[in-house]
Amino acid sequence: DIQMTQSPSSLSASVGDRVTITCRASQDISSYLAWYQQKPGKVPKLLIYAASTLQSGVPSRFSGSGSGTDFSLTISSLQPEDIATYYCQKYNAAPWTFGQGTRVDIK
Amino acid sequence: DVQLLESGGGLVQPGGSLRLSCAVSGFTMRGYAMSWVRHTPGKGLEWVSAISGDDDRTYYGDFVRGRFTMSRDISKNTLYLQMNSLRGDDTAIYYCASRNGVIPYWGQGTLVTVSS
């Protein structure tokens, strides 16, 4: 099975900072990559699919890029409401594996 | 509006069984794949299983294969997860999720606790 590896596992940044999270697939998954945000005690929320397509209603400070095996999620200007854990997920074929998550908090 | 409503969670002893249900409203499951995803503080989100939208083919994560069985009743628009031989590391919040590989719709989750 294809493994999904995120880095870093956690980060702390200041409000307004540019934040980038990376996700690496152990095999080529083309652009079948989604990103989710999960705030503490809340249901996961879809942010991006097809590696770079922003889900309706998601703020434009979120963006995604990459294809093949290397992907990234960028928050252009970190806001207090962005405190959450972020997960990548592959969906080219089952199993639709998630990465281990990246916890983001405010410095 | 799309709603996914899970039920059936609870406390069960190791080796026991539980059956989770997910009542779907706002769309018909026919033609859409559905998933179960679980969350634990230690491992984060784990994809558990999926059922295809057209032919009821099922897929499972390695850690549940042979113990869990996913099914659906189109007439009731309801999804099921039969969980047998439960272990302590199956303790988690279980989410019903849709649609297809990308998951824009999530239920509120049901807590499964495996403990003696």
Side-chain angles (χ1 to χ4, degrees):
Chain A
D1 291 345
I2 297 174
Q3 304 304 311
M4 305 300 293
T5 304
Q6 288 181 232
S7 61
S9 56
S10 65
L11 67 89
S12 184
S14 299
V15 172
D17 281 354
R18 182 181 183 90
V19 168
T20 297
I21 298 166
T22 64
C23 176
R24 174 164 290 177
S26 60
Q27 296 177 36
D28 189 338
I29 59 170
S30 184
S31 294
Y32 294 98
L33 192 283
W35 289 96
Y36 299 84
Q37 175 194 64
Q38 188 175 28
K39 297 182 179 181
K42 300 296 186 181
V43 174
K45 175 185 177 181
L46 174 65
L47 297 177
I48 287 168
Y49 61 95
S52 61
T53 302
L54 202 65
Q55 172 71 352
S56 176
V58 173
S60 59
R61 64 180 179 273
F62 291 92
S63 64
S65 65
S67 67
T69 60
D70 293 310
F71 303 87
S72 63
L73 171 71
T74 297
I75 307 173
S76 61
S77 177
L78 187 68
Q79 300 301 305
E81 60 266 32
D82 300 334
I83 294 174
T85 300
Y86 294 84
Y87 298 90
C88 63
Q89 180 220 8
K90 75 164 195 72
Y91 58 95
N92 60 315
W96 297 334
T97 309
F98 289 89
Q100 80 277 19
T102 296
R103 181 175 174 177
V104 174
D105 59 31
I106 301 293
K107 192 182 293 182
Chain B
D1 283 359
V2 172
Q3 287 194 334
L4 308 176
L5 183 62
E6 304 95 338
S7 60
L11 175 64
V12 62
Q13 292 188 339
S17 298
L18 276 179
R19 188 195 197 199
L20 306 184
S21 300
C22 172
V24 177
S25 59
F27 72 96
T28 177
M29 288 194 299
R30 190 187 309 276
Y32 293 104
M34 301 287 297
S35 296
W36 288 97
V37 177
R38 69 186 187 184
H39 177 265
T40 62
K43 292 186 177 180
L45 293 177
E46 284 187 297
W47 177 83
V48 175
S49 61
I51 187 166
S52 66
D54 48 8
D55 61 5
D56 281 357
R57 190 174 301 181
T58 53
Y59 307 87
Y60 300 95
D62 285 344
F63 54 91
V64 301
R65 197 168 291 129
R67 300 187 298 127
F68 293 7
T69 302
M70 186 175 182
S71 61
R72 65 179 185 171
D73 185 334
I74 294 292
S75 67
K76 296 180 179 179
N77 223 29
T78 299
L79 190 68
Y80 303 99
L81 184 67
Q82 177 67 44
M83 305 187 294
N84 299 329
S85 302
L86 282 162
R87 311 183 303 222
D89 60 0
D90 294 318
T91 295
I93 297 173
Y94 285 74
Y95 294 102
C96 171
S98 191
R99 296 187 297 197
N100 301 326
V102 177
I103 306 174
Y105 303 117
W106 298 76
Q108 289 301 305
T110 186
L111 177 62
V112 172
T113 302
V114 184
S115 176
S116 55

